[in-house]
């Protein structure tokens, strides 16, 4: 649900990114800020509700699934961070930084695979949750730092 919500907002905002880039970096920043607020307003309550109602939701699938609640919390944290950074990734791609986004995603995938390889045998579901949360946190932070670094250069100057 978290990722579907984030992708829906990005899909709604995507047609506005090109014109924002044409209008200049101030318009890019304004469009980004408005879209980011919308993602936060929609995703944050969803994460809180899922975290608070997690045991109830897991019981829908049977009593044995309740043991997955700690892993669910870790996954919510990881997916929440990934949802927040997804908009930065989209803006970077529209701004010609697709290769950097690709490298972030490749490194995030490699980190997730390595962490899962080491953590799942010992910690099972919780290890998978930790691996995903750490990998997504790493990728999200890297993406946001890249966006902040390149934000001023995204879009043509308004007087161009």
């Amino acid at each position: 649900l978290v990722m579907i919500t984030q992708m829906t907002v990005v899909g709604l905002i995507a047609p506005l990114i090109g014109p924002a880039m044409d209008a200049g970096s101030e318009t890019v920043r304004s469009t980004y800020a408005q879209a980011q607020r919308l993602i936060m307003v929609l995703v944050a309550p969803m994460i809180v509700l899922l975290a608070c109602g997690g045991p109830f939701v897991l019981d829908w699938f049977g009593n044995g699934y309740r043991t997955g609640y700690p892993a669910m919390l870790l996954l919510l944290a990881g997916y929440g961070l990934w949802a927040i950074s997804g908009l930065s990734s989209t803006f970077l791609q529209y701004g010609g930084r697709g290769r950097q986004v690709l490298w972030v995603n490749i490194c995030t995938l490699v980190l997730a695979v390595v962490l899962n390889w080491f953590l799942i045998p010992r910690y099972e579901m919780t290890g998978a949750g930790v691996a995903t949360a750490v990998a997504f946190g790493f990728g999200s932070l890297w993406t946001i730092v890249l966006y902040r670094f390149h934000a001023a250069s995204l879009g043509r100057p308004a007087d161009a």
Side-chain angles (χ1 to χ4, degrees), residues 14-29:
L16 304 175
I17 297 174
M21 296 272 179
D22 289 341
S25 60
E26 283 303 315
T27 306
V28 169
R29 279 194 286 276

Side-chain angles (χ1 to χ4, degrees), residues 1-10 38-39 42-43 46 83:
L1 290 175
V2 172
M3 296 307 296
I4 291 170
T5 302
Q6 182 265 345
M7 289 186 315
T8 300
V9 172
V10 169
L38 181 58
I39 288 172
L42 295 173
V43 169
M46 189 178 303

Side-chain angles (χ1 to χ4, degrees), residues 3 13 27 38 41 45 59 61-62 108 132 144 158:
M3 296 307 296
I13 297 301
T27 306
L38 181 58
V41 164
D59 281 345
F61 302 101
T108 300
T132 301
I144 290 168

Side-chain angles (χ1 to χ4, degrees), residues 92 100-101 104 141-151:
L92 285 166
Q100 291 175 332
V101 172
V104 169
L141 179 62
W142 190 1
T143 301
I144 290 168
V145 166
L146 280 174
Y147 174 79
R148 297 283 185 220
F149 183 76
H150 294 296

Side-chain angles (χ1 to χ4, degrees), residues 11 14 34 36 44-45 51 57 64 73 75 88 92 94 100-101 108 114 118 120 137 146 153:
Q34 290 174 19
Q36 196 66 18
V57 171
L73 291 175
L75 290 171
S88 298
L92 285 166
Y94 270 85
Q100 291 175 332
V101 172
T108 300
V114 169
F118 286 106
I120 289 175
L146 280 174
S153 66

Side-chain angles (χ1 to χ4, degrees), residues 20-107:
M21 296 272 179
D22 289 341
S25 60
E26 283 303 315
T27 306
V28 169
R29 279 194 286 276
S30 174
T31 304
Y32 176 87
Q34 290 174 19
Q36 196 66 18
R37 276 192 297 272
L38 181 58
I39 288 172
M40 291 300 296
V41 164
L42 295 173
V43 169
M46 189 178 303
I47 290 172
V48 170
L49 285 172
L50 285 170
C52 292
F56 175 72
V57 171
L58 292 172
D59 281 345
W60 291 347
F61 302 101
N63 292 336
Y65 287 89
R66 190 177 273 239
T67 59
Y69 182 62
M72 180 181 172
L73 291 175
L74 291 164
L75 290 171
L76 283 171
Y79 280 109
L81 291 170
W82 197 253
I84 291 167
S85 72
L87 189 62
S88 298
S89 173
T90 304
F91 271 79
L92 285 166
Q93 290 175 55
Y94 270 85
R97 305 283 182 196
R99 176 168 265 149
Q100 291 175 332
V101 172
L102 177 63
W103 278 110
V104 169
N105 290 337
I106 289 170
C107 291

